[in-house]
Amino acid sequence: RALERYTVTGTSIAHLGGSFLELPPEAFAESDRFLFVAAGRSIHTVDASNPYTPNVVSSITPGWLANYTKVLVHGRYLYALGGSTGLDVFRINGNGSLTYRTYTSDNSVSDAAVVGRWLFTVSASGLRAYDVSNVGAAATPSMTLLTTLAPGVTINAIAARYDNSVAGAVGVNPVAHAVVYAVTGAAELRTYDFNGATLSLLGAASW
């Protein structure tokens, strides 16, 4: 299946051309006027400031074997799942082009979420937290693995946000804690607390 563009004026319909392969929603990420599209081994930058004439302004195809399936933007950086090592990080330049920075060493990452300086991933290794404050370093950009939790169930998707209401965090700086939401294969939503060093289960809702 594909997406085609048309204009409708009165009773007239004109085909604008430009067929786009159908992609799942997670294959897109937005930053300012740019849309980043994960498409197999490549990531394309589309200037969508004028929705009538979206324009591909940049594409990057790394030299390693990749199959990008999901991208997310946080600040000036794009996180792409499906790199040869699991997750690749790119800097977003002012013109929309991407510059490769670093990667995770876990090649089975299936989902990710970023909050502030923390990156959370889920993979065959479990639920992981990284410090990504050094991905912008000029000399040796990197990320640091902080902790790994074996959840005991399959996690299908995650999201995360800062939270100062979790146990032990009331009244403290809200950036000191994050809550990670995880949808599992056991038909439930789990919540985990991250205190900057360790992950711990808070609760679960089943359906």
Side-chain angles (χ1 to χ4, degrees):
R1 292 181 292 177
L3 173 68
E4 301 284 345
R5 297 184 299 157
Y6 298 85
T7 58
V8 179
T9 306
T11 58
S12 300
I13 300 176
H15 182 225
L16 295 178
S19 174
F20 302 92
L21 292 179
E22 185 179 84
L23 293 171
E26 62 268 20
F28 294 86
E30 182 181 5
S31 178
D32 297 325
R33 69 180 189 275
F34 298 117
L35 289 174
F36 301 95
V37 183
R41 293 190 61 187
S42 303
I43 301 173
H44 306 292
T45 304
V46 180
D47 185 339
S49 55
N50 184 342
Y52 289 98
T53 57
N55 181 41
V56 177
V57 295
S58 178
S59 296
I60 186 169
T61 303
W64 52 88
L65 186 62
N67 182 27
Y68 295 118
T69 56
K70 178 177 180 177
V71 289
L72 57 150
V73 168
H74 184 72
R76 295 177 53 226
Y77 296 92
L78 180 136
Y79 297 79
L81 280 69
S84 61
T85 57
L87 184 147
D88 293 335
V89 184
F90 299 86
R91 184 181 68 238
I92 302 172
N93 303 311
N95 62 359
S97 63
L98 299 174
T99 301
Y100 173 74
R101 301 300 292 163
T102 187
Y103 63 93
T104 65
S105 57
D106 186 345
N107 63 6
S108 62
V109 175
S110 59
D111 203 8
V114 189
V115 176
R117 67 180 186 275
W118 296 326
L119 165 70
F120 300 99
T121 66
V122 61
S123 69
S125 300
L127 183 60
R128 288 184 158 182
Y130 295 83
D131 184 336
V132 294
S133 57
N134 200 46
V135 297
T140 54
S142 63
M143 63 179 74
T144 302
L145 176 63
L146 299 175
T147 188
T148 301
L149 176 71
V153 295
T154 300
I155 295 178
N156 297 326
I158 60 172
R161 67 178 177 87
Y162 284 136
D163 196 301
N164 66 345
S165 65
V166 296
V170 176
V172 303
N173 187 338
V175 302
H177 281 249
V179 169
V180 180
Y181 303 94
V183 176
T184 77
E188 62 179 358
L189 172 71
R190 290 188 174 189
T191 54
Y192 294 89
D193 171 45
F194 179 67
N195 63 6
T198 59
L199 286 156
S200 58
L201 179 65
L202 292 175
S206 301
W207 50 80

